[in-house]
Amino acid sequence: MAETTPPAAPPAPPASEAPKPKPVVPFSPVILKHIHEPNAHTLEHYLARGGYETARKHVGETDPASLVAIVKDSGLRGRGGAGFPTGMKWGFLAKGTGKPAYLAVNGDESEPGTFKDRHILEKDPHQLLEGVILTCWAIQSNHAFIYLRGEFILGYQRLEAAVKEARAKGFIGEKSFGKDFPLKVTVVRGAGAYICGEETGMLSSIEGGRGYPKIKPPFPAVSGLFKCPTIVNNVETIANVTHIVKNGADWHKQWGTEKSPGYKIFCLAGAVKKPGVYEVPLGITMREFIDVYGGGMVEGRTLKAVIPGGLSAPLLTPEMVDKCTLDYESLAGLGSMLGSGGITVLHDGVDMMSAIYNTMRFYHHESCGQCTPCREGTGWLEKLAHKHHAGHAHAGDTDLLADVAKNMRGRTICVLADAAAMPMQSYLQLFRPEFDKRVAAPEYVEKGRTARDEITPAAKRESVTHGAPGVLDVGMGMDRV
């Protein structure tokens, strides 16, 4: 057989065609720009810095579809945790149904380690409200609901005051900005249920029912609030709308990465010198965020792990942190998620058994109980985590933790079961030796109850008292924020 000649390699592209790195554009806070200024929550302050001028310019004048196109082209992704493209979601809104369309703004910021939306609500509510007005014009909705976590007393008071001020000025009402566009804004307070942070659970609560999540499909954009087409967006997401409409899609895309454009607010807590709320371009390294913005680790401590996106996000080890950039794709590639942007830094002295037990207590308490795998599974995880925390686990309990967590994921209406199972699986994968150290007996000895029976008396006492002082000291330093 004759020998064949391999094909010649294609010529190298000219130097001018080589991909160029994205230029670094200086960044200063956008959403958080004015939050530290006195009286930034008042209408007078907001108007003095050009507030409501963007809404005045576009409401009743600009084609709504063009505003949707601007937001879609900007690449803005939902800031509540899912990261779904905002403009694309708006485009899914069912039309021609003969029913009213609603906007539901999710301000039920319940994810532990996350407190960014609270700052917007308390310190710059008019910024959110102008975003609501523009969004409602874009999707042609005449009624917006803003749902707040029940504990946000100051945020509720200031948002209610902002709505009244805007109504008195004619920015919302029967003729918004004097145009033929009636708009009503209703502020709804929840009762402090984590489950109402899930979009359909929130809609159930707004409708006056228990905060039970609903089976999807149908998705809210087709059949949501009161069975009408509904767009659900997070507070931070809507606060971005005014800036993007004012400055354009390319302005927003000059920061971040190709798939995660723009900037985001992150909450930093735990063992760092400067915990707080920071607005940074997406794509910066986790190390830069911790060392530069957070001031580095507290004196005398080294990094043990990072919770990168709220309590439900799987952990990152120091080695993973070194590879991590703050964008959706990087964290997904490391087996975790950007989530709500709540970053908690754990130092080398943290008791991981105390940390995971505290986490499981939270999810067991917050399960709405609608789905059996979540209702029962979160209870089992708490009981088994307590046995490890208290040092009286047996060898089979560690494997049982893994088994329960595995069988909870993907089997419920909403993702609360997954939110509990993912951190448990992460702790087991990355810190299994610490579980094994708490095993008191190699074999289980029957003592009149099984591992899946009633919660242990000690765990029950701690659940009622929320833990005696020092019992659940996991070193997260949340009181320093």
Side-chain angles (χ1 to χ4, degrees):
M1 181 180 291
E3 194 171 312
T4 58
T5 304
S16 60
E17 296 181 12
K20 297 180 180 179
K22 190 174 183 178
V24 177
V25 179
F27 178 80
S28 58
V30 177
I31 304 297
L32 301 182
K33 183 176 181 179
H34 300 283
I35 66 167
H36 296 300
E37 298 173 8
N39 300 315
H41 63 282
T42 64
L43 178 61
E44 180 183 7
H45 190 286
Y46 192 64
L47 292 176
R49 50 187 158 104
Y52 290 109
E53 289 304 315
T54 303
R56 186 190 302 276
K57 176 182 177 181
H58 292 283
V59 169
E61 301 291 338
T62 303
D63 177 27
S66 68
L67 295 187
V68 175
I70 291 171
V71 174
K72 184 176 182 179
D73 188 44
S74 74
L76 175 65
R77 297 174 65 167
R79 300 304 196 223
F84 193 83
T86 304
M88 184 181 295
K89 178 186 280 190
W90 292 4
F92 291 156
L93 189 71
K95 299 176 179 62
T97 63
K99 298 179 179 180
Y102 294 112
L103 170 66
V105 182
N106 194 338
D108 189 89
E109 190 174 44
S110 308
E111 185 71 22
T114 312
F115 35 89
K116 58 186 178 63
D117 293 344
R118 190 187 73 196
H119 280 263
I120 298 171
L121 292 164
E122 293 178 354
K123 300 180 180 181
D124 205 347
H126 283 284
Q127 180 179 207
L128 170 64
L129 198 52
E130 185 171 9
V132 167
I133 295 170
L134 283 163
T135 302
C136 284
W137 175 250
I139 66 173
Q140 290 293 280
S141 169
N142 300 115
H143 197 166
F145 292 83
I146 305 177
Y147 186 89
L148 302 188
R149 182 163 178 78
E151 292 87 343
F152 287 176
I153 304 299
L154 180 59
Y156 167 73
Q157 292 170 342
R158 289 189 167 172
L159 183 60
E160 272 285 333
V163 171
K164 291 177 181 178
E165 290 173 326
R167 188 182 298 120
K169 283 286 188 179
F171 301 158
I172 57 176
E174 290 301 317
K175 286 188 174 292
S176 300
F177 297 99
K179 306 297 175 57
D180 187 20
F181 179 60
L183 177 59
K184 182 178 181 180
V185 176
T186 302
V187 180
V188 181
R189 291 181 64 197
Y194 176 81
I195 197 66
C196 289
E198 194 276 337
E199 61 177 6
T200 60
M202 179 189 70
L203 298 181
S204 296
S205 180
I206 294 175
E207 291 169 345
R210 297 185 67 176
Y212 273 177
K214 303 174 182 179
I215 294 174
K216 295 181 285 189
F219 291 91
V222 175
S223 179
L225 193 59
F226 307 117
K227 299 189 182 300
C228 296
T230 306
I231 292 296
V232 180
N233 282 131
N234 167 262
V235 164
E236 184 190 351
T237 308
I238 295 298
N240 272 286
V241 171
T242 301
H243 303 283
I244 291 172
V245 171
K246 177 182 178 180
N247 298 296
D250 290 338
W251 169 85
H252 183 256
K253 289 190 289 187
Q254 66 183 325
W255 298 291
T257 67
E258 181 181 354
K259 294 183 178 180
S260 297
Y263 45 85
K264 181 170 171 29
I265 305 173
F266 290 91
C267 310
L268 182 59
V272 292
K273 295 176 182 176
K274 298 190 298 181
V277 184
Y278 300 96
E279 188 174 9
V280 300
L282 287 164
I284 70 168
T285 67
M286 178 73 82
R287 282 289 184 183
E288 178 185 354
F289 187 67
I290 294 173
D291 294 339
V292 177
Y293 292 89
M297 299 293 295
V298 294
E299 296 296 337
R301 291 297 185 181
T302 58
L303 181 65
K304 184 172 186 177
V306 169
I307 302 172
L311 196 64
S312 58
L315 294 170
L316 301 179
T317 63
E319 295 74 23
M320 298 163 76
V321 167
D322 288 333
K323 302 175 184 177
C324 177
T325 55
L326 295 181
D327 58 80
Y328 296 95
E329 288 68 37
S330 174
L331 279 155
L334 292 169
S336 189
M337 57 186 181
L338 191 70
S340 59
I343 298 175
T344 304
V345 178
L346 308 182
H347 61 68
D348 55 306
V350 170
D351 177 7
M352 302 306 278
M353 296 302 96
S354 183
I356 192 60
Y357 171 49
N358 202 27
T359 301
M360 294 304 108
R361 285 203 318 153
F362 172 80
Y363 286 112
H364 183 202
H365 180 269
E366 294 296 337
S367 173
C368 75
Q370 184 178 188
C371 304
T372 302
C374 181
R375 181 183 65 247
E376 302 300 324
T378 53
W380 290 347
L381 290 182
E382 181 191 351
K383 290 178 245 181
L384 292 166
H386 175 262
K387 293 181 72 175
H388 286 84
H389 167 68
H392 57 255
H394 69 91
D397 287 333
T398 310
D399 291 332
L400 186 56
L401 274 171
D403 182 59
V404 173
K406 176 184 176 183
N407 285 288
M408 288 171 62
R409 294 189 63 178
R411 291 170 168 82
T412 50
I413 292 174
C414 82
V415 294
L416 190 146
D418 294 56
M422 287 191 297
M424 176 57 76
Q425 290 177 319
S426 173
Y427 277 73
L428 284 168
Q429 178 184 359
L430 301 175
F431 296 98
R432 178 65 183 253
E434 297 198 24
F435 285 84
D436 294 337
K437 287 180 182 178
R438 300 297 178 92
V439 172
E443 296 180 0
Y444 181 66
V445 179
E446 178 63 44
K447 296 180 180 179
R449 62 177 182 266
T450 67
R452 295 185 177 183
D453 204 349
E454 183 180 357
I455 192 167
T456 60
K460 183 180 291 186
R461 284 197 303 272
E462 291 178 16
S463 294
V464 171
T465 63
H466 304 292
V471 171
L472 297 177
D473 180 12
V474 298
M476 291 186 179
M478 291 297 293
D479 58 330
R480 303 176 62 221
V481 177

